[in-house]
Amino acid sequence: IVLDEVERRRGISAALVYPFMRSLMESPFPAPGKTIKVKTFLPGAGNEVLELRRPMDSRLEHVDFECLFTCLNVRQLIRIFASLLLERRVIFVADKLSTLSSCSHAVVALLYPFSWQHTFIPVLPASMIDIVCCPTPFLVGLLSSSLPKLKELPVEEALMVNLGSDRFIRQMDDEDTLLPRKLQAALEQALERKNELISQDSDSDSDDECNTLNGLVSEVFIRFFVETVGHYSLFLTQSEKGERAFQREAFRKSVASKSIRRFLEVFMESQMFAGFIQDRELRKCRAKGLFEQRVEQYLEELPDTEQSGMNKFLRGLGNKMKFLHKKN
C-alpha cells in the first residue's frame, strides 16, 4: 500500500513523495493487528487519511505460500514439513533463484511457533556445494545447473526436492509415517480444500487477511501444533525463586493419542523443541503471539474436544478462522 501511494504521488510530482514519507515516518509503528492513520495532502484530492493495518500474523509480511503450491502437491509439502520438523537434511533444486528463495523462506515459516535451528542457505553458491555432504541438519537450495554435481557427491541421507518437476529426486521412503496419522490426514484435507475454505471465509464479514491463502495456510499448520503441543503451558512449573521448569515426561504422557505420543517422543529431542521450551522457561512476561492466542482458546475448549482426528482438526480450524474475524 505504501509503495502504491508513493508511486501515485510520484506520478504527479516527485516533490509530493517526501511530505508523505515524512508523515509516515512520524507515525508510530503499529503492533500486529493494529491500524495507524496517516494524514496526507494530495493536489486535486485535498486532505486524505490513509489507514495502514499491520497483519495480525506479522511473520507472514514477507512470506508467500503460493509458491509452495505452485511447485509442490499437498502430500509432498507435508512430507517436507515432516522432514524439517524432525530436523533432517533437505535440498531444494530449481531453475530460478526466486523460486529457491521464496520456497525456502515459505517452508521455514510453516514451522512457527518453532524456529529452524540449523544451516539455512536458500541459495547455495555452486562453489560451496560440498556443504551438502555435512552430516548435520540443513535446508539448502541449489540451482538446477548444480544437479549433475550434486548427484556425484557422497550426500548422506537427505530429502532432495526438484521444485521444477513436482517430484523428489531422492527420499527416505518413511516421510509418510513421521507425523501422527490422523493429524496428517487432517492437514492434507484442509490444504486440499484450501480454496473452498478461503471462499467460505470470503463470504463472511472478515478482515482481508482472513480470506487469503497465507492466512489460511498459517492457521492450518498452527492448528497442527496446537493439537500436538498446545498443552505445554500446563507443564511449566514455577519454583519459589520464580524459576520455571518444564515437566517433559508428564507433558508427553498426558497425551491420550498413542501416535501423537510417539511423534512427541522424537520431536521433543529436536533443537527446535528445546529452543521453544527454553524460551518459555526464561520469559518473565510472555507477549501473546498468534500461537499463544490459539493455545489459550484451545485450552478453554478442552472439555468439549473429546472427539479426535480430522473432524476435530477441521472444526478447530473453523473456530480459528471465525476467531480471526473479531477486531483486535
Side-chain angles (χ1 to χ4, degrees):
I1 295 175
V2 171
L3 292 178
D4 287 341
E5 290 296 325
V6 168
E7 190 60 28
R8 181 180 165 205
R9 283 158 175 74
R10 198 174 67 86
I12 300 172
S13 169
L16 296 173
V17 174
Y18 177 72
F20 170 69
M21 293 303 294
R22 185 177 60 187
S23 179
L24 187 66
M25 293 294 288
E26 290 173 350
S27 302
F29 190 66
K34 300 300 181 181
T35 301
I36 60 166
K37 294 182 179 181
V38 180
K39 295 180 180 179
T40 66
F41 175 80
L42 198 63
N47 292 319
E48 289 186 343
V49 176
L50 181 65
E51 291 194 358
L52 299 172
R53 185 175 189 276
R54 189 176 174 196
M56 184 63 212
D57 194 356
S58 57
R59 302 170 302 111
L60 304 180
E61 287 174 319
H62 306 292
V63 171
D64 180 15
F65 290 132
E66 181 67 45
C67 63
L68 294 176
F69 295 99
T70 300
C71 298
L72 302 161
N73 61 47
V74 167
R75 179 157 290 186
Q76 287 175 321
L77 178 57
I78 291 175
R79 288 174 181 173
I80 295 167
F81 170 71
S83 297
L84 291 175
L85 264 192
L86 299 191
E87 297 184 331
R88 294 183 169 187
R89 290 175 285 278
V90 178
I91 301 171
F92 283 168
V93 179
D95 293 331
K96 297 180 180 179
L97 294 172
S98 58
T99 301
L100 290 176
S101 180
S102 298
C103 288
S104 297
H105 284 96
V107 80
V108 165
L110 297 179
L111 301 174
Y112 172 81
F114 300 91
S115 301
W116 181 250
Q117 303 286 323
H118 303 278
T119 302
F120 175 55
I121 310 176
V123 182
L124 181 67
S127 60
M128 298 173 64
I129 194 171
D130 287 351
I131 283 179
V132 300
C133 299
C134 176
T136 55
F138 58 70
L139 170 59
V140 302
L142 285 169
L143 286 172
S144 300
S145 55
S146 298
L147 192 52
K149 175 65 174 173
L150 175 64
K151 291 180 177 179
E152 292 174 5
L153 292 172
V155 182
E156 292 203 19
E157 294 178 334
L159 177 63
M160 297 183 187
V161 185
N162 190 329
L163 295 172
S165 65
D166 193 27
R167 68 182 180 87
F168 290 159
I169 301 167
R170 183 195 294 181
Q171 56 189 323
M172 310 273 287
D173 294 325
D174 66 347
E175 288 86 358
D176 274 333
T177 66
L178 303 179
L179 303 181
R181 183 173 53 83
K182 287 183 178 179
L183 285 182
Q184 178 167 324
L187 263 180
E188 285 188 20
Q189 182 172 335
L191 293 176
E192 292 286 4
R193 292 176 54 195
K194 61 184 182 299
N195 293 334
E196 174 192 339
L197 293 170
I198 292 169
S199 176
Q200 286 176 2
D201 209 58
S202 298
D203 295 336
S204 61
D205 184 21
S206 65
D207 295 330
D208 288 344
E209 70 184 270
C210 307
N211 49 45
T212 63
L213 179 68
N214 268 18
L216 187 278
V217 173
S218 174
E219 290 291 343
V220 167
F221 283 92
I222 286 175
R223 186 66 195 183
F224 171 85
F225 288 119
V226 166
E227 295 276 351
T228 51
V229 302
H231 60 300
Y232 80 91
S233 60
L234 304 177
F235 296 88
L236 275 175
T237 58
Q238 192 162 325
S239 69
E240 292 180 0
K241 294 180 180 179
E243 297 174 343
R244 294 184 177 192
F246 182 61
Q247 308 302 312
R248 289 176 59 89
E249 275 308 292
F251 163 78
R252 188 179 66 82
K253 290 179 179 178
S254 69
V255 178
S257 165
K258 287 183 180 179
S259 63
I260 293 180
R261 282 203 306 273
R262 282 195 297 268
F263 165 74
L264 287 177
E265 195 169 346
V266 180
F267 181 54
M268 287 170 66
E269 297 302 317
S270 69
Q271 288 190 30
M272 263 190 294
F273 187 82
F276 172 85
I277 292 300
Q278 184 179 41
D279 178 53
R280 279 142 183 85
E281 285 177 332
L282 297 176
R283 281 188 196 179
K284 296 295 182 184
C285 180
R286 188 166 69 249
K288 289 183 181 177
L290 186 60
F291 176 70
E292 276 72 25
Q293 291 179 36
R294 298 297 180 258
V295 163
E296 194 173 81
Q297 189 180 25
Y298 171 75
L299 294 177
E300 289 174 0
E301 296 170 353
L302 268 183
D304 302 321
T305 54
E306 297 301 324
Q307 57 178 310
S308 62
M310 196 175 302
N311 291 334
K312 175 186 173 185
F313 186 98
L314 291 172
R315 189 192 69 163
L317 176 61
N319 288 344
K320 300 306 159 291
M321 298 307 286
K322 290 174 189 173
F323 181 74
L324 275 176
H325 302 162
K326 300 175 183 176
K327 296 284 186 183
N328 291 286

